[in-house]
Amino acid sequence: MDGDIASLRILAADEDREALRRTAETLDRLGHRVTATAIDLAEVTEAVAREDPELSVVVVHNDDEHALDLIEEISAFSGGPVIALVGGDEGDFVPRAAERGIYAVARDGDPDALRDAIEVACRRHAESNRLVQQVDRLETALERRAVIERAKGILMERHDIGEREAFDRLRAHARSHNRTVVDVAAGVADGRALLGDARSGE
């Protein structure tokens, strides 16, 4: 995989401080900066709040539950993705970790695999953010449309006019008062305005 991920601020978490040191050295050789290390949940929470890491690496040894707790804690409070470094036979750890929020897995002690996992995690995280933004934009557009439709219905009933004229009144009022159609529609929907003739803009 062609790595084009820039240097990242990384949080490394592990139950073993010596393993943390080795992981930090590997990440440093890959061009990243380990800005914090942690071995328990309290340290993880403090480090995330203090350093705001762009990516976190959890190293898994014998205590899967501890690693899963670390992953869940980091995923809950950090804005960046989380990857796991596994040693031997991981059993059902990977699917369980995926449920807690990891973006990628790599074999501990393999710098190339770690580099690729970082790239995969960053790409997946960026894509996830894009999807969230798209959903937010869609929800906002649907909300705007709902407000306009509600306002049109109020005007149609109040003034005994058709749908097209109701929208024309909203648009004319918006233009004459230098406002958006949505703002005017919200005023109508909230009962602050019942627009008159579109030609007058009132």
Side-chain angles (χ1 to χ4, degrees):
M1 182 178 296
D2 296 330
D4 57 357
I5 301 300
S7 177
L8 301 172
R9 299 189 315 277
I10 294 181
L11 163 65
D14 193 323
E15 64 197 69
D16 184 325
R17 289 203 182 275
E18 176 59 26
L20 270 179
R21 183 188 62 78
R22 293 194 302 269
T23 301
E25 290 175 353
T26 300
L27 290 165
D28 182 69
R29 287 195 297 270
L30 291 174
H32 303 293
R33 292 184 299 115
V34 175
T35 57
T37 58
I39 62 171
D40 57 34
L41 295 182
E43 288 184 354
V44 159
T45 303
E46 180 183 350
V48 169
R50 183 181 68 249
E51 302 294 342
D52 188 23
E54 295 170 301
L55 180 135
S56 298
V57 177
V58 174
V59 187
V60 185
H61 293 295
N62 299 320
D63 192 344
D64 285 3
E65 295 304 321
H66 180 71
L68 290 169
D69 287 342
L70 290 175
I71 290 169
E72 186 169 29
E73 188 78 4
I74 295 169
S75 297
F77 294 102
S78 177
V82 184
I83 68 174
L85 291 183
V86 297
D89 180 15
E90 63 268 14
D92 65 349
F93 174 81
V94 173
R96 294 175 67 197
E99 293 176 356
R100 307 288 182 101
I102 63 166
Y103 278 76
V105 177
R107 184 69 59 186
D108 192 15
D110 186 341
D112 291 338
L114 176 55
R115 183 191 62 239
D116 290 347
I118 290 173
E119 182 169 353
V120 168
C122 289
R123 290 183 181 277
R124 290 185 60 198
H125 186 256
E127 179 61 23
S128 177
N129 284 343
R130 282 194 293 270
L131 290 175
V132 169
Q133 292 170 1
Q134 289 174 0
V135 170
D136 288 344
R137 286 195 295 269
L138 178 59
E139 289 179 344
T140 300
L142 291 174
E143 290 169 359
R144 289 198 302 265
R145 179 174 179 177
V147 169
I148 292 172
E149 291 299 317
R150 188 159 61 248
K152 282 164 54 179
I154 292 171
L155 294 179
M156 289 165 65
E157 180 180 356
R158 175 66 175 81
H159 298 292
D160 191 23
I161 57 178
E163 182 178 356
R164 182 69 229 179
E165 185 174 349
F167 182 76
D168 286 344
R169 292 192 182 192
L170 291 171
R171 184 172 56 186
H173 190 87
R175 287 176 176 173
S176 65
H177 292 78
N178 195 29
R179 298 169 62 193
T180 67
V181 172
V182 176
D183 286 342
V184 175
V188 173
D190 292 342
R192 298 196 302 268
L194 289 173
L195 310 185
D197 195 317
R199 292 171 297 180
S200 66
E202 298 298 330

